Amino acid sequence: MPIKHRATRERPSTPDHPPRGRGFTLVELLIAVAVIGILVRIAYPFYQSYLKRVYRSEVQSLMLDLANREQQYLLDNRSFLGGGASAVSTLVPSGVPADVTAYYTVTITATAGPPPTFTITATAKAGTIMASEAAFTLDQDGTKLPAGKWEGR
């Protein structure tokens, strides 16, 4: 018969001495929740800033692609394509990415000239994370406004 050491023997459960649980105490759980709350409070604004940079770069990439397509359209047709949002869908037959349409309305205006010109405008949609952003514009000369928002900041 094996010998049981006293240190390994469990205490019997009695009404005066309930069995010890191996879980967490309420204080430990409250401390963990408080730490998580502090981390979320610090991290959430950084996360929103990151999302804004991502959505901003997506619409700017689309605008640069549209500008290249407008230049090709000028070579083929001797004028720029205007007409608001319908011009965008004409120039991008595969469709505007969902991340762009969810947060921005992209339009193209063109004038016959001389010289012919175009302006691509991306306006943030109200009620989205991007609503506080200024509208982005890009013209036939490559002028990008607002200038400070095109550097990836």
Side-chain angles (χ1 to χ4, degrees):
M1 177 168 159
I3 301 173
K4 287 190 174 181
H5 295 285
R6 185 175 182 162
T8 60
R9 195 172 52 188
E10 290 188 25
R11 185 177 64 186
S13 175
T14 64
D16 294 335
H17 300 287
R20 287 193 171 165
R22 296 186 185 252
F24 298 105
T25 66
L26 181 60
V27 172
E28 290 171 332
L29 288 175
L30 288 176
I31 290 171
V33 168
V35 168
I36 290 170
I38 291 169
L39 290 175
V40 167
R41 183 139 173 110
I42 292 170
Y44 189 68
F46 288 108
Y47 177 69
Q48 283 198 324
S49 174
Y50 169 76
L51 286 179
K52 284 184 177 184
R53 283 194 321 266
V54 168
Y55 298 140
R56 189 181 307 134
S57 72
E58 293 231 1
V59 77
Q60 289 169 348
S61 177
L62 174 69
M63 292 172 73
L64 291 170
D65 183 41
L66 286 171
N68 287 333
R69 292 174 188 256
E70 277 283 9
Q71 295 295 344
Q72 184 62 47
Y73 190 89
L74 175 67
L75 292 174
D76 296 341
N77 300 299
R78 306 187 106 203
S79 67
F80 288 119
L81 178 65
S86 64
V88 174
S89 58
T90 301
L91 290 173
V92 185
S94 61
V96 177
D99 285 344
V100 173
T101 57
Y103 298 100
Y104 289 95
T105 302
V106 181
T107 57
I108 301 173
T109 55
T111 58
T117 62
F118 72 85
T119 302
I120 303 169
T121 306
T123 307
K125 291 185 176 180
T128 66
I129 190 173
M130 303 307 288
S132 63
E133 294 280 313
F136 294 107
T137 61
L138 177 63
D139 66 14
Q140 75 286 343
D141 295 327
T143 306
K144 303 169 184 175
L145 296 174
K149 294 292 184 172
W150 281 83
E151 283 89 35
R153 289 185 221 145

